[in-house]
Amino acid sequence: EALYRQTLKVSPRATNIRENLGVVAWNHGRIAEAEKEWDIALKLNPKSPITLTNLGLIYARRKQYQKAEQYFRKAMLYKPDYTDPHLNLGSMMMDLGRFEEAEWQLRAAVALSPLVPSCQNKLGKLYLKEGRLSEAAEQFSRSVRAARNFEGYDGLGDVYLRQQNLRRAEQAY
């Protein structure tokens, strides 16, 4: 954070530094500060998919879903192969119960980043919610093959538990 602030003294128009400073603030729960940095970054570069996605997160957190969706979709427009807006929009749609739209976005995220466990895990959770157990198991299995992670194993445990396979559920958990 100190390095970013020093850099801004020399290069106040450094968009990526503003984006990063916003991420630091976001990660420390300083949401208003994150939003301020991302607003400045967006003024400096109105087509930044990273900034647009981050601002989408702000609005999703505030439950301003329509505005969040606009930011995520705009980020996709400027960089269609950027995983984060697909993942975040899919997650938001899932939370809103819009499962068809969520699946489409989450499948796009998995296609763009097949080795990123969070993509498979989120799609696996959607399938689990819908009772599509074999598809959920496939996503969670891909996740843990890509990188051992508790979310993937936990998801596999949930699938096996729903299938009443207690031995495999215990192993996964």
Side-chain angles (χ1 to χ4, degrees):
E1 186 172 359
L3 178 63
Y4 293 149
R5 292 199 186 284
Q6 280 301 115
T7 303
L8 285 178
K9 288 179 183 177
V10 178
S11 301
R13 299 183 57 81
T15 306
N16 61 330
I17 298 299
R18 295 251 179 225
E19 289 168 343
N20 291 345
L21 199 52
V23 170
V24 169
W26 174 271
N27 289 339
H28 285 92
R30 302 187 319 253
I31 307 307
E33 186 181 328
E35 183 178 18
K36 179 184 165 213
E37 292 299 338
W38 292 334
D39 280 340
I40 294 169
L42 192 63
K43 284 181 181 123
L44 296 170
N45 182 4
K47 294 182 178 182
S48 169
I50 294 171
T51 304
L52 289 163
T53 299
N54 290 342
L55 285 167
L57 289 172
I58 295 274
Y59 290 105
R61 183 181 181 122
R62 290 184 183 148
K63 299 185 184 335
Q64 293 177 301
Y65 301 118
Q66 209 169 18
K67 198 160 186 174
E69 182 176 352
Q70 290 171 350
Y71 276 98
F72 293 140
R73 290 198 185 279
K74 203 169 188 182
M76 289 177 216
L77 181 69
Y78 292 127
K79 189 162 175 46
D81 62 345
Y82 181 38
T83 303
D84 289 2
H86 292 282
L87 182 61
N88 292 324
L89 181 56
S91 297
M92 185 179 84
M93 294 296 179
M94 189 168 87
D95 292 344
L96 294 172
R98 293 164 59 181
F99 296 133
E100 237 178 88
E101 295 168 88
E103 181 178 1
W104 196 91
Q105 293 300 330
L106 295 173
R107 287 173 62 96
V110 167
L112 290 168
S113 296
L115 298 177
V116 175
S118 59
C119 297
Q120 285 102 351
N121 289 336
K122 190 56 81 167
L123 185 56
K125 286 179 184 180
L126 173 70
Y127 290 150
L128 189 60
K129 268 188 178 190
E130 293 186 314
R132 296 160 64 182
L133 301 182
S134 63
E135 290 167 286
E138 177 61 29
Q139 291 304 315
F140 292 128
S141 293
R142 287 181 182 180
S143 166
V144 297
R145 279 195 308 268
R148 296 178 69 164
N149 66 90
F150 78 91
E151 224 178 331
Y153 285 115
D154 191 54
L156 278 171
D158 291 346
V159 168
Y160 297 139
L161 195 58
R162 297 249 312 258
Q163 292 173 333
Q164 298 181 344
N165 188 335
L166 299 180
R167 184 186 61 74
R168 288 189 81 187
E170 184 179 13
Q171 287 174 337
Y173 289 137

